[in-house]
Amino acid sequence: MIKIAIIDDHKILRDGIKLSLIGNDEIIMVMECADAEELLRTYKNHNPDVFIVDMNLPGMEGDELTKELLNENPENKVLILSGLTDEKSVMRAVKAGAKGYLSKDVGSDELLEAIKTIYCGDEYFGGKISKIIFRSFSKLNSDENNKVKESKITDRETEVLICFADGLSYKEIAEKLFISPRTVEAHKNSILAKLELNTLADLIKYAIKEGLIEI
C-alpha cells in the first residue's frame, strides 16, 4: 500500500482525507501533523511514501518544508494541497521540488489519482495549476534577448504556449491555429527537446534557475 503523511493545521481537512480513504486498499494514512516541526521530528518512524503538504503552515511554510524533506532524502515525494493557487505560491512550490500541486477544492478521486501518480515517480498538477504554469511560461517570450529565444523556439511554438496559457485544449488550439492536434503536441514536445528537458515541471525549474521567471 502507498503510505501517506498529511501535514495541515486544519483538522477538518485531515479528517476529510481520512474519510476519503475508507475502504481504499491501495492507500493508507500512516501519520498526520499540524505543523512542519512535528513532521520532521517523527516522520522517519513511519516512512511515508508521499507527503501531502499545505503551503500555509505555522512556523514553516509548505515550500520550505518541501526543501527540508528533499534535503534529508531526495527520494521523498511531496504533493502540495493548498487553498493558495496564485502564481507566486505555485512557482515557489515547483522551485522547492514538489512533485505535484492541487487546489483544496479538488474531489477525492483526483487527489487519489495524484497520490498514485506521484508515488509511481511522475508529476501531477491539477488543471487549474497547469494553466498557471503555462501562463507563467508564456511570459518568457516577452523579452527578445532571453534564453528561450536563444534556444530557437519558433513564433509558432510561442503561439501554442500562449494558447495553453489561456487554458485552451489541444483541439481548440488546433482549430485556432489551423493545425492538427497532433501538430500541437509536436510543438510542445519540440520546446522541451530544444531545452533538453523531460517534463513541464523541469521546464519551469529551468526557467526559475536561469532567472527567466520572477517569484
Side-chain angles (χ1 to χ4, degrees), residues 86-106:
D86 59 285
E87 183 176 321
K88 183 176 181 180
S89 297
V90 172
M91 304 313 288
R92 279 168 47 202
V94 171
K95 182 180 180 182
K99 297 288 286 183
Y101 201 118
L102 288 175
S103 168
K104 282 185 176 179
D105 62 8
V106 299

Side-chain angles (χ1 to χ4, degrees), residues 5 7 16-17 21 24 26 28 59-60 66 77 85 107 126 133 137 143 160 182 202 206 208 211-212:
I7 306 89
I17 294 177
L21 295 176
N24 190 298
E26 297 178 274
I28 183 172
M60 180 186 295
T66 298
K77 298 177 175 68
T85 56
I133 292 174
F137 178 70
D143 183 352
V160 170
R182 182 172 296 180
D202 288 336
Y206 168 88
I208 296 172
L212 302 176

Side-chain angles (χ1 to χ4, degrees), residues 170-171 173-174 179-190:
Y170 283 91
K171 181 180 179 181
I173 296 172
I179 56 179
S180 70
R182 182 172 296 180
T183 301
V184 175
E185 176 71 18
H187 282 312
K188 191 181 83 170
N189 291 338
S190 175

Side-chain angles (χ1 to χ4, degrees), residues 6 68 73 90 180 183 192:
I6 304 172
E68 288 292 328
N73 182 0
V90 172
S180 70
T183 301
L192 294 173

Side-chain angles (χ1 to χ4, degrees), residues 133-190:
I133 292 174
F134 275 119
R135 190 178 299 281
S136 297
F137 178 70
S138 71
K139 294 178 182 178
L140 305 184
N141 298 283
S142 62
D143 183 352
E144 292 184 353
N145 297 316
N146 68 34
K147 290 182 174 59
V148 175
K149 288 290 185 181
E150 293 172 5
S151 299
K152 296 185 174 64
I153 288 180
T154 67
D155 290 340
R156 175 61 91 184
E157 288 166 347
T158 299
E159 288 178 326
V160 170
L161 275 169
I162 291 173
C163 287
F164 274 121
D166 287 334
L168 300 184
S169 67
Y170 283 91
K171 181 180 179 181
E172 289 170 333
I173 296 172
E175 291 174 351
K176 181 175 181 178
L177 300 181
F178 302 102
I179 56 179
S180 70
R182 182 172 296 180
T183 301
V184 175
E185 176 71 18
H187 282 312
K188 191 181 83 170
N189 291 338
S190 175

Side-chain angles (χ1 to χ4, degrees), residues 39-40 43-44 48-51 53 60 62-80 92-100 118 123 205:
L39 174 80
L40 293 172
Y43 83 88
K44 291 180 181 178
D49 297 308
V50 177
F51 299 83
V53 177
M60 180 186 295
D63 58 317
E64 296 172 317
L65 175 56
T66 298
K67 291 177 185 177
E68 288 292 328
L69 287 169
L70 294 178
N71 284 338
E72 292 194 2
N73 182 0
E75 298 301 315
N76 283 333
K77 298 177 175 68
V78 176
L79 168 63
I80 300 293
R92 279 168 47 202
V94 171
K95 182 180 180 182
K99 297 288 286 183
I118 290 172
E123 293 152 333
K205 291 174 188 175

Side-chain angles (χ1 to χ4, degrees), residues 31-45:
M31 67 180 302
E32 60 175 299
C33 302
D35 58 62
E37 183 180 350
E38 180 184 357
L39 174 80
L40 293 172
R41 187 175 63 250
T42 61
Y43 83 88
K44 291 180 181 178
N45 297 329

